[in-house]
C-alpha cells in the first residue's frame, strides 16, 4: 500500500495548531496520571510490581476512593431517570416529592429535555434560597444564578467574559500560587495574562494583602489587571480564610477595581477547630453599601466536593453580584450556545441545596450519612498532618479544609541537580509511583516558590488505606533522601 | 442609602468585555425565544392571549414536545444512579447487565466518580464497535473516540484546536449557509474567519462543489482556509447528502488541504424514499488509500437526536481520523482541563451504541419503541412538506432527514421595507408568536441568500398538534401577506 501520508506533513500538526492550546497545562491529569493508568493496565496484564494496586491520590474524586453516594440523592436521581418508580413503595415520600417537582419543571416532564440555558427556574430559586440561608438572610436573586457543567465550566465562562485588550492592555488575572491549575490552563487558552500572588506557607498558606499589592503593582507595568481569583477553602493548600482576611481582600478588590472570583466549592469542607467558612458574598454585604453596591463578583459552587462528591454528574452554579445588566445579557447569550448544563447534574444540585428537612422521612438517614462523610474527612485531615510532620524532611501545614494537603518536601541537592528533563518534584513523584504505586501531583503543577518543592495529595483514601499510604510515603521519603545524599 | 455605584461605570461593562463574546449570536435561543418564555409566564399569570399555550417549534427538543423516553435507556440509567435497584425483579436482565458493566468501569463503581477525560474506556470501545458495524467493517480505534458534553462540546473543541494565525493567516472555516448557528457562534468566539458556502435551495438544499470552490478561492484572498464543516443530514435544511456528493466533498477537501468536520448527529433521522445516510468515514475509506490515509477528519454524534432525543443528558462523541499523534496528545490534554464529560450522558451513549440484541429480553420493546418514534417522525416530515406547499407564498423542500424544515416565505415588499430594527423574517416570526403562540426561528439566524426569507420549524410536535400548527401558520401567512399588501 503506498504511503501517501508520508508525502506531506499533516494538515493539522503541532506547528500550526492553536498556540494557546499548546500553552495549556493541567497537572492534575498530566504525565504522572497517564503513567499511573499505564501501570494499572500492566498490573491487570500480570506484570509484577512491588505493589498490587495504584492508589490515586492525585484528584479530588471521592467516589473513586470508595466513598458511598448519599442514598437520598441517588434515590431522587433514579426516580427522575425512570419515573415509573414513582409508583414504587420502596422509595420514601420526600424523595418522590423532590423528583416530581423537578420533573414538573422539565420540558415534557423529562430530564431528557433541554432546560433553559441558565438552568431550570425552580432549581435556581432553590439555589438562591440556599444562599440566603447560608448568608444569614442576605438576599439572593435567582436571576443572578447560572447553573453550569461543574464549577470549572462556570469559572472558564466568567473568565472568558472578562478578557479583552492587546499588549499592555491585555486583561491580567490574579491567581494564587499555589493554585488549582484550571485557572492557569484557562488563562493560557484565553491568552490572558497570569498575575501570580504567593500564599504564605509559613503562615499556614494564608493570603497576605501586601503580597496582592506587590503583585498587582508589578503587573500594571505590562498588562491590565482586572480580575482577582480566590480559592477558599484552598486548593491545593487546604487553608481556610479568616473573616478578617476576606474583608481585606474585598477592600483591596474595591480599591484596585478588580472583579472578584470566589471559588467556594469546598464550602462544606472545613475541619480545623476555630475555622469557619465565610462566604465572600456575606462578608461583602456585611461591610455595608459602600462595598456591597460597588464590588463586582462571581461566586462558584459545585456538586463534586463537600459531602456528596458527585464529580461525574458535572453539576455546579455561579452567582453573579453587581453585574452590569448588559453584561448579564451577554453572559446569558454566551451560555445559550451550549444549550444547557446536564440536567441530571442540575437535579443533583437541587437536592444539595434543598436537602431533606427535619419533618421529612429521609432526614435522619441523610444527615447521618452526611455527618459520617464529613467526620471521616476531618479525621483524615488530622491524621495526614500528624503523620507527615513526623517525617524528617516533610513539613505539612494543618489541613483546615478542602480535600488536600500540600506538604513541603526537602529534597537532597543531588536530586535537584539530577535533571532528566524532569523537575525535581516530578522525579520524586514519578519514583514514588513506580516504587509504591501511589499517585500524587508534583507541586510544580500548582506553582511554588522557586527552590521549594511540594506535592499535592488528597485525603480521600479510606482511613485504613490512608494510613498505609502515609506510611509508604514516609518510607519512600527516607529512602529517596538516602539515595541522593 | 448612598448610590455609590452611580459614581463610576461598572468595572465590567459592554464596552470593555470580551469583544469576541459580543459578536456571538445564537438565534435558536435568541430574542424570539426569550419573548416566548415571557408570553408563557404571562399566560400563567392569567393574561388573555389569542391562544392557550406557546408551541415551541424553535429547537430540536423531542421530549419537550412530548416524545416519551425509550424505556430501556431509562431503566439502565436508574440502575446506574441507584444500584440497589439491581436487586429489583422489575428490571430486565439485559438492563441490569448493561448497568453492571458500566458501573464496573466507573471509579469506585459509581457514576459519581470522574471518568477519564476522553471518556470511559469500555464505552469508547462500544462506540468503536458501533461505528465499525455502521460502516461495513471499516476499523475504528477506541483511542480515536472522544466522548463529549453533547456534540456541541466536541465541535467547539475541535474548532479550537484548528484556529491559529493573524490577519491574512487567520484560520478560515467553511460553513454552509444556511447553517446551524453553533458554528458561527463558535467562530466568533474563537475569532476565526467564517467562510460561507451556499446550499442550493432549488436543488433541495444540496451541496455543490463548484460553490465550495468559489467560496474557498474568494476566501484565500483574506484568510487561510483550513476547515470544511458539513452537516449531514442537514440542519436546518433537512437535506440528506447523496453518496456522490460526499465523494465530491472529500475529493475537494483533499485537493484544497482542508480538515473535514462531519456533523452527523442526525444519522438515524432519514425519512425520504431513496435517501440513505452515508457516513463520511465510510465513503472516505471506500475511496481507497489515496484518500483514507490522507484526509484528516472528525465526525460527531450525539445522544440528543435520532430516536432517543435525550438532549438533557448532554452525551456525544467524536471520532478523529488521520489525526497527527502529537495533535491528539494536545487534544487529550485540552479536554482533561474540564475533567470529564457528564458520566450519565456517557452511560446513555453506551446504550445507544450497544442496544438490546435479538436474544435479549428488552429487544422487542426497545425496537418497537424506536421504530414508532422514527415512523412518526417520517410521517410528520411528509405532512409538513405537503401542507406547507399548499400555502401560496410558502415553498418547502422535502424534509428528507433530521428534524427541521426550512421553508422559503415570500414576504410582501411593505413588510420588507417596514424596518423596525427587525429583519423582515424576524418581524414575521415575532408576529406569528404574538398572534398564534407559535415559536419559530427566523431564517436570518441561520443565514440565507440576500433577499430571500425563511424560517426554521421543527417537525417534533405530536402529529395532531403539528397539523394545527401548520394550519395556523397557513392562516397567519395569508393574513400577514394581506396586511402588508
Amino acid at each position: 500500500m503506498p504511503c501517501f501520508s508520508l508525502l506531506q506533513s499533516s494538515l493539522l500538526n503541532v506547528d500550526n495548531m492553536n498556540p494557546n492550546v499548546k500553552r495549556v497545562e493541567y497537572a492534575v491529569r498530566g504525565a504522572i496520571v497517564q503513567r499511573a493508568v499505564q501501570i494499572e493496565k500492566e498490573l491487570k496484564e500480570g506484570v509484577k510490581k512491588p505493589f498490587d494496586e495504584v492508589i490515586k491520590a492525585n484528584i479530588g474524586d471521592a467516589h473513586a476512593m470508595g466513598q458511598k453516594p448519599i442514598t437520598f440523592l441517588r434515590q431522587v436521581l433514579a426516580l427522575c431517570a425512570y419515573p415509573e418508580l414513582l409508583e414504587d413503595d420502596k422509595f420514601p415520600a420526600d424523595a418522590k416529592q423532590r423528583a416530581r417537582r423537578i420533573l414538573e419543571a422539565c420540558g415534557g416532564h423529562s430530564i431528557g429535555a433541554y432546560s433553559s440555558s441558565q438552568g431550570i427556574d425552580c432549581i435556581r430559586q432553590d439555589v438562591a434560597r440556599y444562599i440566603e440561608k447560608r448568608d444569614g438572610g442576605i438576599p439572593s436573586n435567582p436571576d443572578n444564578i447560572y447553573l453550569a457543567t461543574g464549577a470549572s465550566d462556570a469559572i472558564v465562562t466568567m473568565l472568558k467574559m472578562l478578557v479583552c485588550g492587546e499588549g499592555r492592555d491585555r486583561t491580567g488575572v490574579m491567581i494564587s500560587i499555589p493554585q488549582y491549575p484550571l485557572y492557569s490552563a484557562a488563562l493560557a487558552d484565553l491568552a490572558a495574562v497570569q498575575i501570580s500572588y504567593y500564599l504564605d506557607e509559613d503562615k499556614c498558606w494564608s493570603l497576605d494583602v501586601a503580597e496582592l499589592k506587590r503583585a498587582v503593582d508589578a503587573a500594571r507595568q505590562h498588562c491590565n489587571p482586572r480580575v482577582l481569583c480566590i480559592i477558599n477553602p484552598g486548593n491545593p493548600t487546604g487553608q481556610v480564610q479568616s473573616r478578617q482576611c476576606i474583608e481585606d481582600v474585598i477592600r483591596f478588590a474595591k480599591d484596585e477595581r478588580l472583579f472578584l472570583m470566589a471559588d467556594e466549592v469546598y464550602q462544606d469542607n472545613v475541619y480545623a477547630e476555630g475555622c469557619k467558612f465565610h462566604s465572600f458574598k456575606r462578608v461583602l454585604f456585611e461591610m455595608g453599601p459602600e462595598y456591597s453596591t460597588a464590588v463586582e463578583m462571581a461566586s462558584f459552587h459545585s456538586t463534586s466536593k463537600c459531602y456528596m462528591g458527585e464529580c461525574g454528574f458535572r453539576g455546579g452554579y455561579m452567582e453573579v453580584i453587581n453585574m452590569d445588566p448588559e453584561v448579564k445579557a451577554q453572559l446569558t447569550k454566551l451560555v445559550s450556545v451550549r444549550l444547557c448544563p446536564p440536567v441530571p447534574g442540575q437535579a443533583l444540585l437541587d437536592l444539595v441545596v434543598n436537602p431533606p428537612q427535619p419533618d421529612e422521612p429521609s432526614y435522619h438517614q441523610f444527615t447521618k450519612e452526611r455527618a459520617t462523610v464529613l467526620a471521616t474527612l476531618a479525621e483524615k485531615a488530622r491524621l495526614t498532618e500528624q503523620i507527615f510532620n513526623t517525617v524528617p524532611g516533610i513539613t505539612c501545614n494543618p489541613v483546615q479544609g478542602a480535600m488536600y494537603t500540600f506538604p513541603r518536601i526537602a529534597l537532597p541537592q543531588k536530586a535537584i541537580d539530577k535533571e532528566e528533563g524532569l523537575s525535581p518534584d516530578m522525579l520524586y513523584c514519578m519514583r514514588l509511583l513506580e516504587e509504591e504505586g501511589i499517585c500524587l501531583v508534583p507541586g510544580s503543577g500548582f506553582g511554588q516558590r522557586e527552590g521549594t518543592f511540594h506535592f499535592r495529595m488528597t485525603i480521600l483514601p479510606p482511613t485504613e488505606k490512608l494510613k498505609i499510604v502515609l506510611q509508604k510515603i514516609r518510607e519512600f521519603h527516607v529512602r529517596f533522601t538516602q539515595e541522593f545524599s
Side-chain angles (χ1 to χ4, degrees), chain A:
Chain A
M1 194 168 85
C3 223
F4 294 91
S5 59
L6 286 179
L7 297 176
Q8 47 189 6
S9 66
S10 299
L11 189 165
L12 176 64
N13 58 53
V14 272
D15 294 325
N16 66 19
M17 63 173 280
N18 188 330
N20 296 337
V21 171
K22 273 192 278 188
R23 279 192 287 268
V24 165
E25 287 182 33
Y26 190 68
V28 174
R29 293 208 153 176
I32 199 144
V33 184
Q34 285 168 30
R35 178 66 190 132
V37 170
Q38 224 170 30
I39 292 178
E40 279 184 327
K41 275 190 187 154
E42 292 171 16
L43 281 172
K44 259 193 194 161
E45 289 159 5
V47 179
K48 279 264 177 293
K49 302 269 175 193
F51 45 85
D52 300 327
E53 61 163 342
V54 176
I55 299 172
K56 288 194 196 143
N58 60 297
I59 189 165
D61 191 353
H63 291 200
M65 285 291 101
Q67 184 183 309
K68 291 280 157 277
I70 303 289
T71 305
F72 178 75
L73 306 184
R74 294 309 194 86
Q75 285 175 331
V76 180
L77 287 167
L79 290 163
C80 287
Y82 190 51
E84 278 74 355
L85 293 171
L86 286 164
E87 306 307 317
D88 196 315
D89 296 338
K90 269 205 294 290
F91 289 85
D94 49 353
K96 289 183 182 176
Q97 179 269 330
R98 293 293 194 294
R100 280 205 187 90
R101 182 158 169 275
I102 293 166
L103 289 172
E104 268 161 34
C106 290
H109 298 183
S110 165
I111 57 170
Y114 291 121
S115 76
S116 82
S117 301
Q118 213 174 328
I120 293 173
D121 272 10
C122 79
I123 299 181
R124 289 189 293 116
Q125 286 158 15
D126 289 348
V127 168
R129 271 200 297 265
Y130 161 85
I131 294 171
E132 284 178 356
K133 202 176 156 194
R134 181 196 71 188
D135 289 343
I138 292 161
S140 171
N141 183 347
D143 284 349
N144 291 338
I145 309 295
Y146 288 77
L147 307 193
T149 309
S152 303
D153 172 41
I155 290 167
V156 172
T157 300
M158 197 57 238
L159 285 171
K160 179 181 281 181
M161 294 294 293
L162 282 151
V163 172
C164 72
E166 294 301 328
R168 284 190 54 162
D169 292 329
R170 191 71 182 162
T171 294
V173 178
M174 303 186 72
I175 65 174
S176 63
I177 299 294
Q179 53 122 9
Y180 174 53
L182 167 70
Y183 289 90
S184 51
L187 298 182
D189 188 357
L190 293 165
V193 180
Q194 172 176 330
I195 305 171
S196 303
Y197 65 88
Y198 289 85
L199 301 174
D200 190 345
E201 182 163 18
D202 295 335
K203 291 190 181 151
C204 205
W205 291 117
S206 65
L207 188 159
D208 176 14
V209 171
E211 166 62 9
L212 289 181
K213 183 66 181 154
R214 179 207 60 76
V216 81
D217 284 347
R220 287 200 197 281
Q221 308 302 312
H222 61 91
C223 70
N224 177 18
R226 299 184 71 196
V227 193
L228 171 55
C229 298
I230 306 278
I231 312 175
N232 178 49
N235 175 4
T237 64
Q239 198 254 356
V240 177
Q241 293 184 348
S242 69
R243 198 182 182 293
Q244 183 59 51
C245 170
I246 294 172
E247 268 191 36
D248 294 345
V249 169
I250 290 172
R251 216 167 277 123
F252 175 81
K254 179 170 180 292
D255 293 347
E256 302 286 342
R257 302 262 298 148
L258 298 170
F259 189 100
L260 253 179
M261 289 180 52
D263 180 339
E264 299 179 318
V265 301
Y266 299 99
Q267 56 189 264
D268 289 343
N269 297 107
V270 176
Y271 318 117
E273 235 173 279
C275 285
K276 193 175 167 252
F277 171 71
H278 302 277
S279 82
F280 265 77
K281 185 187 177 195
R282 180 172 188 163
V283 176
L284 175 70
F285 277 74
E286 289 176 353
M287 287 168 77
E290 189 185 350
Y291 292 91
S292 67
T293 63
V295 174
E296 293 162 54
M297 200 186 104
S299 159
F300 305 88
H301 197 14
S302 165
T303 55
S304 303
K305 310 300 171 186
C306 301
Y307 63 92
M308 50 284 181
E310 294 277 12
C311 313
F313 280 82
R314 314 306 300 121
Y317 74 79
M318 70 172 154
E319 182 184 25
V320 297
I321 294 149
N322 292 324
M323 183 173 274
D324 184 292
E326 287 180 289
V327 174
K328 245 182 75 178
Q330 292 284 338
L331 173 60
T332 305
K333 178 192 73 178
L334 179 62
V335 297
S336 78
V337 177
R338 296 294 187 92
L339 298 159
C340 70
V343 176
Q346 296 188 44
L348 185 64
L349 177 64
D350 190 48
L351 310 171
V352 169
V353 297
N354 183 18
Q357 297 306 301
D359 58 347
E360 292 183 318
S362 301
Y363 181 75
H364 178 71
Q365 188 182 357
F366 174 82
T367 45
K368 200 177 131 191
E369 288 177 3
R370 179 174 59 183
T372 304
V373 170
L374 291 174
T376 309
L377 284 170
E379 163 66 10
K380 292 192 282 196
R382 201 189 46 76
L383 199 70
T384 302
E385 176 201 352
Q386 205 176 53
I387 296 183
F388 271 149
N389 280 326
T390 65
V391 187
I394 296 186
T395 328
C396 180
N397 270 318
V399 183
Q400 299 175 334
M403 299 177 162
Y404 316 98
T405 175
F406 195 68
R408 183 159 169 183
I409 44 177
L411 296 185
Q413 196 58 42
K414 272 195 208 159
I416 296 170
D417 297 339
K418 198 166 190 304
E419 287 277 351
E420 286 173 327
L422 290 184
S423 63
D425 51 4
M426 175 64 101
L427 169 70
Y428 181 94
C429 289
M430 215 40 127
R431 291 282 291 267
L432 176 66
L433 174 63
E434 298 287 350
E435 295 174 20
E436 302 286 357
I438 296 167
C439 181
L440 308 179
V441 190
S444 45
F446 304 87
Q448 53 200 352
R449 280 202 185 270
E450 178 97 33
T452 70
F453 302 103
H454 302 78
F455 58 75
R456 188 185 83 163
M457 185 186 93
T458 74
I459 60 167
L460 294 174
T463 312
E464 287 317 304
K465 198 176 267 186
L466 180 66
K467 285 182 187 163
I468 296 168
V469 167
L470 293 166
Q471 185 55 35
K472 281 181 159 193
I473 295 176
R474 182 215 302 258
E475 287 161 16
F476 167 80
H477 187 84
V478 172
R479 207 163 62 232
F480 185 89
T481 307
Q482 283 171 347
E483 182 184 336
F484 286 96
S485 289

